[in-house]
Amino acid sequence: MATRYLQVNGTHVTEAQSYLLLMLGSTLFVDKSRDRVRPVVNLFLDELEEIDQYSWASGTLAWLYRCLGQASRAGARGVAGCLTLLQCWIYEYFPGFRPSHFEPPVVGPYEAWASRWIGQPATGSVADPSVRLAFYRRALDRLTPSDVFWTPFHQRPHQVVRRSLYTGVIRFADIGEFYDPARCLRQFGYRQMVPPPPSRPQRADRPEAPGGYVIRIPESFDAAWDALLSHMVHIDMYSQPWRTYPYETTVDYLDWFVAHSHCRVLRDDGDADRLVDPQR
């Protein structure tokens, strides 16, 4: 697959392309083939001087979204994508799932945020793998709003990274996924409101077998990326900063959430009382 990059008498450019192919295929755009890389990655390496012009972060997120969608199918037997990103996201937002007895250090301005968790073992609450899955499912069902660290990176992250309020399609090559910050306003330090209806793809096939998972989004949606001002959540007009506690919602949001979401992982006979704000 990468034969044209792996030449015996290659130039420094070819060596750089080979190294980047290895890094991208083994970190950001991992699949379940173990030792192979998606051919489409090659397209981004032809012109090395343009590499810093690509939005690698949004591409990584689009690929991870697609892999998580495939992993959600009943016939899935694993998950691909940048799992380092997923695991660090879990540690940051859900302190109860962090490695035991560990306080992450403060990282410097030029250090990767994920380096806070380097060398730390996963939470070892359950040694028996046969009951581990059920344990974590119950732990998720017991979560309350106060168990979540809603703004781990910055109290107002959109003031640091403005494009985080972009709403539209994020893409990695032929893979497009919808990104909608209006559905998670509490992560921006604002009260959560009932979001607008989600955008719909041109085609969506989500069978039980992950191999037939297909989402197609028209390329015309891509124009939104270059028109940020007209395709972003103007959060100050849309909502208000939370006043009392960081998981504050509008009065009608929780009723909407319970009606439109699966509130539990396990099929217990419980209700959704744990989602209700005790101070409401």
Side-chain angles (χ1 to χ4, degrees):
M1 181 181 303
T3 304
R4 67 191 182 97
Y5 289 148
L6 303 178
Q7 303 172 0
V8 177
N9 299 317
T11 64
H12 292 303
V13 172
T14 344
E15 294 170 355
Q17 290 169 327
S18 301
Y19 174 76
L20 289 171
L21 182 65
L22 171 65
M23 293 299 296
L24 294 173
S26 60
T27 56
L28 303 187
F29 306 112
V30 182
D31 60 19
K32 291 188 284 186
S33 64
R34 296 186 180 181
D35 58 351
R36 299 181 182 180
V37 182
R38 286 173 56 84
V40 71
V41 177
N42 294 338
L43 300 177
F44 302 104
L45 302 178
D46 284 337
E47 303 294 337
L48 291 182
E49 61 272 14
E50 296 181 359
I51 278 188
D52 62 346
Q53 303 299 313
Y54 297 127
S55 176
W56 294 105
S58 62
T60 301
L61 192 60
W63 175 239
L64 179 59
Y65 281 175
R66 178 58 52 90
C67 292
L68 291 175
Q70 293 172 336
S72 70
R73 302 298 90 194
R77 292 294 180 270
V79 60
C82 185
L83 299 185
T84 300
L85 172 62
L86 177 62
Q87 187 172 9
C88 291
W89 181 86
I90 293 171
Y91 287 167
E92 295 293 346
Y93 282 93
F94 302 95
F97 292 91
R98 292 177 178 178
S100 302
H101 310 295
F102 173 71
E103 184 65 28
V106 177
V107 296
Y110 301 105
E111 296 180 275
W113 195 277
S115 64
R116 285 157 41 92
W117 308 102
I118 288 178
Q120 297 304 316
T123 48
S125 303
V126 183
D128 185 354
S130 64
V131 298
R132 187 178 301 152
L133 180 59
F135 172 85
Y136 284 115
R137 284 175 171 172
R138 290 192 178 90
L140 288 170
D141 281 343
R142 289 195 297 265
L143 282 175
T144 65
S146 59
D147 294 324
V148 180
F149 187 8
W150 293 98
T151 53
F153 306 109
H154 193 277
Q155 190 63 40
R156 300 285 187 269
H158 59 286
Q159 295 176 358
V160 180
V161 183
R162 191 181 186 190
R163 191 172 282 276
S164 61
L165 289 180
Y166 162 79
T167 179
V169 173
I170 54 176
R171 190 177 290 276
F172 169 59
D174 59 328
I175 291 174
E177 294 286 342
F178 289 109
Y179 174 82
D180 187 3
R183 307 183 78 83
C184 54
L185 292 177
R186 286 174 288 187
Q187 295 183 30
F188 295 92
Y190 283 71
R191 287 187 299 171
Q192 182 62 55
M193 302 175 63
V194 174
S199 301
R200 296 186 178 276
Q202 186 179 44
R203 175 189 171 191
D205 294 327
R206 301 182 180 94
E208 290 190 4
Y213 190 98
V214 176
I215 303 292
R216 290 183 180 173
I217 300 174
E219 292 185 2
S220 58
F221 279 54
D222 295 345
W225 182 264
D226 295 320
L228 180 61
L229 288 180
S230 57
H231 292 87
M232 65 183 296
V233 177
H234 294 278
I235 201 165
D236 293 306
M237 295 185 291
Y238 187 74
S239 182
Q240 297 291 327
W242 59 269
R243 297 191 181 98
T244 311
Y245 34 88
Y247 47 88
E248 190 173 354
T249 67
T250 56
V251 175
D252 56 345
Y253 174 74
L254 287 176
D255 292 334
W256 174 88
F257 180 81
V258 171
H260 290 80
S261 303
H262 297 285
C263 298
R264 293 184 179 275
V265 180
L266 296 175
R267 296 182 178 180
D268 295 334
D269 294 328
D271 50 34
D273 287 345
R274 66 190 176 86
L275 298 172
V276 179
D277 171 19
Q279 303 181 51
R280 177 178 166 184

